[in-house]
Amino acid sequence: VQQASIPSSPSSSSSSSSSSPAELGSPAKGLRSRKEGKVARGPRESSSARGRQEGTPQDRPPGQPPPQPPHQPPDRWPPQAPGQSPLQPPHQPPGRWPPQAPGQSPPQPPHHQPPHRPPGHSPPRSPGRSPPRPPRQPPDHSSPETPGHSPPRTPGHSPTPSPGRSPPRQPPQSPHRPPGQSPPRSPHESPRRPPGHSPAQSPRQSPPQPPGHPPHRSPPPGPHQHGPPGRSQRVEPHEYMLSIYRTYSIAEKLGINASFFQPSKAANTITSFVDRGRDDLSHRPLGRQKYLFDVSTLSDHEELVGAELRLYRKVAMSSATPGAPPAGGPLHAQPGAPPAGGPLHVQLSPCLSRRVLAARPLDPRRAPPAGWEVFDVWQGLRHQPRRRMLCLELRAPADLRGLGFGRRGRPPRERALLVVFARSQRRNLFAEMREQLGAAAPLSRTTPPSEALPPSEATPPSKPAAQSEASAWGPRRGPRRPR
Amino acid sequence: TAPGVRHGKRHGKKARLRCGRKALHVNFKELGWDDWIIAPLEYEAYHCDGLCDFPLRSHLEPTNHAIIQTLIHSMDPAAAPPSCCVPTKLTPISILYIDAGNNVVYKQYEDMVVESCGCR
């Protein structure tokens, strides 16, 4: 029997993150002999590597830069330290659960665009060999500033985006596609869709963007492309989610009920939403900061059992003399400097609301140098109707940058994370797929006129789902043309 | 030693193909699902294969209907097919994947691994 470290309490959960990749990759013999969690590499590392190795100038779309060599950290995927497995736990501060990766600065994935391919056209695949995929773009929706390099900005600019002026630069993608039609995919994408996973949408499509915003960094739809463009972004798994997976998969092997762990409670689905807000580039003290999360993918069939907001608190950018209170109060201190004085109470509340969801004192001098602050926002998410965007605001009597909550220069893994714990009923995956496809069927009317079927040849309501389902599970042979 | 040889009276592949759990290694990468599944990239799913012939073994946990059907099939193969060798117990696995909104999701998918097989 192979032992595995399972945290028995939130404070001891760091042991789960300390499990080595070998533990993840090796089965828990004696209880189960399945080989699960064999994730010695990032999901797209090998593909990216293959892309770097096999990629030739003719394989790349015009205008696309050549693949980055492995030694160029800013464009590597998955973002990890050299020689470190994506599931390899980083150093965790004690007493925090689940373990996080403070201070990790994963490099940015490349901003490459996938080559255009007509919908339904899938590249030939051979069993046992996945075709190389193009590097994906990061889910970076914040300003692309880097430390020391700030884009010009009008002074007095609103520090946080409002819903009407949303920061995400990606347009809201229609999650649906005309039935029976394959989504535009890159030559490296899978020809199949997952069970319980909408086949009408690619997981790496550009994230939603407020109306009126043009698609950003996405290739224009080709003559055969309908709906959203192909996935042009790469999703970087958050260390927290990786640690959850590690913990639960080991628990499964040991036969431990996952509800044993907190704060998962009875959740069997845990969804993470990365903050899409932008940082305030002004030099004013930041007294409040908004966090935006696109929660449109939350299913109505799932029972929410918990939600938490995880904010990474970085080390203050500049050091201040301890005990020397700034003149005029904390909010008049130098932006970015850690405020002096006693503990400061930070409050979290929904945007445009005075209702406080969570509050806690933070001592800028006694706090750990870096770490995650976890706020329970279940009440805020529970009592509001399902909406597309969730906006939370963090308030403090001092400059939030000085407290380490500034967004500037943050790698994706240090961005605010909304984690929603849900309990979904045991359902047939085909029924789940059929339901999603049924929701996608009405959008078939958005088919461009050039390829839209005449009313007389319109597909029966039940047929698109079947076609899409077939295309979701079976290999796509190419675009089907109506007769 | 094959069961047929061991018992001395069953020969051929029929005895060797009694209903039971067989290996089935699933590689999501080979399925082309590694573009949305983060982890695991492979696991052992197993599958059920074999004949449900008369008499049914108790460890196969046959249903009453399966017992009757198997009995009828043994008497008159044209009257009814043999009962089916199917999974009788399945367990979930954890999957970390990317959903349609580019969010990383952990989900415990039910009935992903065959733990035992039986005749139904």
Side-chain angles (χ1 to χ4, degrees):
Chain A
V1 177
Q2 181 177 5
Q3 291 186 346
S5 299
I6 298 299
S8 58
S9 64
S11 60
S12 63
S13 61
S14 59
S15 59
S16 67
S17 66
S18 61
S19 58
S20 64
E23 290 181 37
L24 290 166
S26 62
K29 296 175 182 176
L31 292 171
R32 282 186 186 177
S33 58
R34 88 173 70 137
K35 288 188 290 184
E36 185 183 336
K38 213 172 184 179
V39 200
R41 63 160 184 82
R44 288 134 204 127
E45 180 184 33
S46 62
S47 301
S48 301
R50 281 197 304 272
R52 285 192 295 269
Q53 294 172 357
E54 301 174 4
T56 55
Q58 57 268 24
D59 291 335
R60 294 187 294 271
Q64 183 176 1
Q68 298 288 341
H71 65 275
Q72 295 182 355
D75 291 340
R76 272 200 63 181
W77 173 263
Q80 61 189 36
Q84 180 187 8
S85 170
L87 286 182
Q88 185 175 2
H91 169 68
Q92 300 295 332
R96 293 179 183 274
W97 193 93
Q100 294 298 329
Q104 273 197 344
S105 299
Q108 298 288 336
H111 290 240
H112 290 178
Q113 294 181 354
H116 162 70
R117 183 175 293 276
H121 182 85
S122 58
R125 304 178 68 98
S126 61
R129 181 181 182 276
S130 291
R133 291 189 304 272
R136 300 174 187 176
Q137 294 181 351
D140 189 356
H141 305 286
S142 64
S143 56
E145 75 267 13
T146 56
H149 175 73
S150 299
R153 189 150 182 173
T154 306
H157 185 76
S158 175
T160 50
S162 62
R165 190 183 176 200
S166 182
R169 296 183 297 188
Q170 302 299 332
Q173 300 289 341
S174 169
H176 311 297
R177 193 181 305 279
Q181 184 171 10
S182 308
R185 52 178 64 243
S186 71
H188 315 296
E189 283 185 330
S190 163
R192 304 181 184 184
R193 299 307 312 150
H197 201 78
S198 173
Q201 191 176 22
S202 175
R204 290 193 190 80
Q205 288 168 348
S206 301
Q209 191 177 29
H213 285 235
H216 182 67
R217 296 185 301 187
S218 296
H224 297 287
Q225 282 183 330
H226 299 169
R231 288 176 293 192
S232 58
Q233 293 189 337
R234 305 184 67 172
V235 177
E236 179 182 353
H238 203 278
E239 182 60 30
Y240 178 67
M241 299 302 293
L242 293 176
S243 67
I244 284 181
Y245 168 76
R246 282 194 294 257
T247 304
Y248 281 54
S249 60
I250 294 175
E252 283 177 357
K253 294 170 185 172
L254 297 178
I256 302 175
N257 189 359
S259 60
F260 172 77
F261 303 104
Q262 295 289 337
S264 65
K265 303 180 179 66
N268 59 3
T269 303
I270 303 173
T271 309
S272 62
F273 302 93
V274 181
D275 173 35
R276 298 173 183 241
R278 285 184 180 180
D279 195 12
D280 180 18
L281 299 180
S282 69
H283 294 286
R284 297 177 304 171
L286 191 63
R288 54 182 60 190
Q289 185 162 254
K290 290 180 180 176
Y291 298 93
L292 289 172
F293 302 98
D294 185 357
V295 294
S296 59
T297 55
L298 283 179
S299 173
D300 294 333
H301 300 283
E302 293 178 339
E303 175 194 1
L304 298 184
V305 296
E308 62 183 25
L309 175 66
R310 307 180 66 87
L311 303 178
Y312 186 71
R313 190 177 174 193
K314 298 181 71 173
V315 182
M317 284 178 280
S318 61
S319 61
T321 304
L331 273 178
H332 294 81
Q334 184 70 19
L344 300 172
H345 286 267
V346 294
Q347 293 181 342
L348 187 71
S349 60
C351 297
L352 307 176
S353 173
R354 285 290 179 184
R355 185 163 58 100
V356 177
L357 297 175
R360 72 181 51 178
L362 290 180
D363 192 337
R365 291 179 300 179
R366 295 181 182 178
W372 289 89
E373 297 291 339
V374 183
F375 298 89
D376 187 359
V377 295
W378 184 28
Q379 299 299 327
L381 192 64
R382 180 187 185 185
H383 295 298
Q384 74 172 11
R386 295 294 174 88
R387 57 180 64 177
R388 184 171 169 273
M389 298 295 292
L390 176 67
C391 180
L392 300 173
E393 187 176 67
L394 185 68
R395 302 191 189 102
D399 188 6
L400 286 172
R401 297 192 195 94
L403 291 173
F405 291 112
R407 286 197 183 98
R408 173 177 293 188
R410 287 199 173 209
R413 288 194 175 191
E414 293 182 0
R415 287 182 187 165
L417 194 71
L418 175 69
V419 183
V420 177
F421 301 89
R423 178 75 185 173
S424 59
Q425 297 177 352
R426 180 174 180 149
R427 306 176 64 199
N428 185 289
L429 292 181
F430 280 103
E432 191 174 337
M433 263 182 41
R434 206 172 292 119
E435 181 177 287
Q436 295 189 19
L437 293 171
L443 284 189
S444 60
R445 301 189 194 98
T446 60
T447 304
S450 60
E451 295 202 0
L453 287 175
S456 59
E457 299 179 4
T459 313
S462 60
K463 199 168 182 179
Q467 288 180 347
S468 299
E469 187 172 313
S471 60
W473 287 92
R476 295 185 173 92
R477 298 190 181 96
R480 292 184 177 177
R481 291 192 163 275
R483 303 173 103 179
Chain B
T1 305
V5 177
R6 189 171 59 238
H7 294 292
K9 53 185 177 182
R10 286 194 174 268
H11 303 282
K13 64 179 181 180
K14 185 175 183 179
R16 291 194 299 268
L17 291 181
R18 185 164 294 133
C19 176
R21 192 177 74 159
K22 307 296 188 302
L24 174 61
H25 187 77
V26 175
N27 191 326
F28 289 130
K29 188 177 178 182
E30 293 178 355
L31 291 176
W33 286 10
D34 59 324
D35 64 338
W36 69 278
I37 289 182
I38 300 173
L41 288 183
E42 54 186 337
Y43 77 105
E44 200 65 44
Y46 300 102
H47 76 287
C48 296
D49 192 17
L51 295 177
C52 293
D53 53 348
F54 183 84
L56 291 175
R57 269 61 175 177
S58 60
H59 75 274
L60 295 176
E61 300 177 356
T63 60
N64 290 334
H65 182 272
I67 294 173
I68 298 298
Q69 182 175 338
T70 305
L71 178 60
I72 292 177
H73 173 74
S74 64
M75 297 169 64
D76 182 9
S83 56
C84 298
C85 178
V86 296
T88 54
K89 184 181 179 184
L90 295 148
T91 52
I93 66 168
S94 295
I95 292 183
L96 193 67
Y97 68 94
I98 303 169
D99 71 354
N102 269 345
N103 305 307
V104 178
V105 182
Y106 161 85
K107 190 168 185 176
Q108 193 179 42
Y109 276 91
E110 300 285 343
D111 301 341
M112 295 288 285
V113 177
V114 174
E115 291 295 332
S116 61
C117 301
C119 296
R120 298 294 161 90

